Amino acid sequence: MREIVDAARAIRSKSSPVIGRRLVLTAGIGGFIGGCASVTRKQAAQVPVERLATLDGATAGLALMLGRHQQATASFLAKDPIVEAIAMLQEGPVVDVSSPGGQLELEKLVALSPTRVIGLSGGPVEQAVVLDRISSSVQRVARTGRLAADSLAVGAALGRLRRTRHALTMLSASRQQLQSALRSRSAPTISIISPGLAADSIFTVGGATPAASTVAALDLRRPAAQAKAASSARSFVPVSLEHLPEHDADLVFVAVGPTVDPRWLYDRPLWRQLGAVRRRRVIEVDALQWATTSSLLGNWWVLDDLAAVLREDACPIVGSATFRGIQRLARYRALFGE
């Protein structure tokens, strides 16, 4: 843990918002796969400290990228690596105000006396707005499911609209850069599979997720069986186990994470018969980053993962709180935070 925090500090001290030869994507194509004013202690004591609480993954991720200190967030998992990552990057604790059962723990949130609570509609923010004790601090951002619209609305609520625009502009430019590089080669077909919690429960990702939207933006083809899912507003679209062979592709990305264990799937005879499995072209990716709707952080993460696989013959990063995950998050924070 200590070395991960030290690495994050080192990256922040050496990083610069100036975009150099390598922003997030590498430049080469690999194998297949005014002075700062000081503040006195007396002046600092007069500056009000904002206590920010974020109530969904997309908002928490954007706040992290933009350098906003978070007092609390809501993860709804027994252990969410993004909560640990936020704490390490801001070098201070962050309170999880949710239960693994999917409920917002309102009493815990109220006890923190947040000065600002931000969340996208359709989630736990709906529970918070009905609570008179904190309703004046709650900012409910209408979720549209469109990345740019939702990111800009949340960025404005966070007081970082200009930096959010910059992050979106750079995302578009980096997508175009990778897309141009892939035109010079025969791009592989991409299949995205997410094993469910229950045995024989399989999903693919819908069009609003970072995974599907990034693949579409890069003009990469998915199997015909995933065409309907690509236009769906849902995050996850069920796949019948008997139809699994229809989801074969040149590369099969399997979403894994704290609540996604693919081992039962890997034991199935139908799985072992897939061409991608036989050719060892199955790649595990971070389920939370690849499938969080309206997440600007997730879109950057997926783009970096695809660039690593398709241009550098490298591996994606699974786990926000891993050593490599913290390195990546620290780089985003250095580029787009303050």
Side-chain angles (χ1 to χ4, degrees), residues 14-68:
K14 296 178 181 178
S15 299
S16 167
V18 176
I19 310 300
R21 179 174 179 269
R22 186 183 192 276
L23 169 60
V24 174
L25 311 178
T26 59
I29 298 179
F32 168 76
I33 309 275
C36 298
S38 60
V39 180
T40 65
R41 291 183 180 180
K42 182 177 181 180
Q43 289 172 323
Q46 295 172 349
V47 178
V49 177
E50 183 177 69
R51 297 182 297 277
L52 171 65
T54 56
L55 298 187
D56 58 81
T59 302
L62 186 55
L64 184 154
M65 286 181 70
L66 300 177
R68 291 302 311 271

Side-chain angles (χ1 to χ4, degrees), residues 35-254:
C36 298
S38 60
V39 180
T40 65
R41 291 183 180 180
K42 182 177 181 180
Q43 289 172 323
Q46 295 172 349
V47 178
V49 177
E50 183 177 69
R51 297 182 297 277
L52 171 65
T54 56
L55 298 187
D56 58 81
T59 302
L62 186 55
L64 184 154
M65 286 181 70
L66 300 177
R68 291 302 311 271
H69 189 282
Q70 299 177 70
Q71 180 194 35
T73 191
S75 72
F76 308 107
L77 298 174
K79 183 179 181 181
D80 189 342
I82 194 66
V83 177
E84 187 178 354
I86 292 171
M88 285 191 284
L89 283 167
Q90 67 185 25
E91 299 183 38
V94 56
V95 180
D96 189 345
V97 290
S98 66
S99 68
Q103 295 296 313
L104 184 66
E105 296 187 353
L106 292 172
E107 291 185 0
K108 184 184 289 187
L109 178 61
V110 172
L112 295 172
S113 301
T115 56
R116 185 178 298 192
V117 181
I118 303 174
L120 287 161
S121 63
V125 70
E126 308 300 343
Q127 301 173 48
V129 294
V130 301
L131 204 64
D132 291 340
R133 285 174 291 173
I134 63 170
S135 60
S136 61
S137 69
V138 175
Q139 292 179 259
R140 176 182 179 274
V141 179
R143 185 195 294 271
T144 67
R146 298 189 300 273
L147 174 66
D150 291 349
S151 298
L152 290 172
V154 172
L158 289 167
R160 297 288 189 273
L161 181 58
R162 181 178 61 83
R163 291 186 174 272
T164 305
R165 283 201 185 100
H166 176 58
L168 283 165
T169 299
M170 294 309 303
L171 175 68
S172 178
S174 296
R175 280 176 170 177
Q176 291 175 13
Q177 178 187 351
L178 179 56
Q179 184 183 39
S180 297
L182 294 178
R183 288 198 188 104
S184 63
R185 58 174 57 196
S186 179
T189 55
I190 302 293
S191 179
I192 306 169
I193 295 293
S194 178
L197 291 175
D200 297 345
S201 174
I202 309 174
F203 300 87
T204 187
V205 293
T209 60
S213 60
T214 303
V215 167
L218 296 174
D219 287 333
L220 296 172
R221 290 176 295 115
R222 293 174 66 181
Q226 296 182 8
K228 187 175 181 180
S231 61
S232 172
R234 299 169 61 182
S235 294
F236 295 100
V237 179
V239 172
S240 299
L241 181 60
E242 60 268 24
H243 292 155
L244 183 60
E246 299 173 16
H247 295 263
D248 198 2
D250 296 324
L251 288 175
V252 174
F253 290 91
V254 179

Side-chain angles (χ1 to χ4, degrees), residues 237-322:
V237 179
V239 172
S240 299
L241 181 60
E242 60 268 24
H243 292 155
L244 183 60
E246 299 173 16
H247 295 263
D248 198 2
D250 296 324
L251 288 175
V252 174
F253 290 91
V254 179
V256 300
T259 61
V260 183
D261 187 346
R263 285 178 294 182
W264 71 262
L265 176 61
Y266 295 166
D267 290 336
R268 292 294 188 271
L270 274 177
W271 173 260
R272 294 196 294 269
Q273 293 172 18
L274 295 182
V277 175
R278 296 196 304 269
R279 296 188 303 272
R280 297 186 179 182
R281 291 293 186 265
V282 175
I283 302 167
E284 293 186 349
V285 294
D286 192 300
L288 295 178
Q289 298 295 351
W290 277 54
T292 300
T293 304
S294 299
S295 171
L296 183 53
L297 172 58
N299 275 266
W300 269 106
W301 194 283
V302 173
L303 186 64
D304 261 0
D305 281 348
L306 289 174
V309 171
L310 300 177
R311 301 182 66 181
E312 304 169 37
D313 200 16
C315 296
I317 296 177
V318 180
S320 304
T322 62

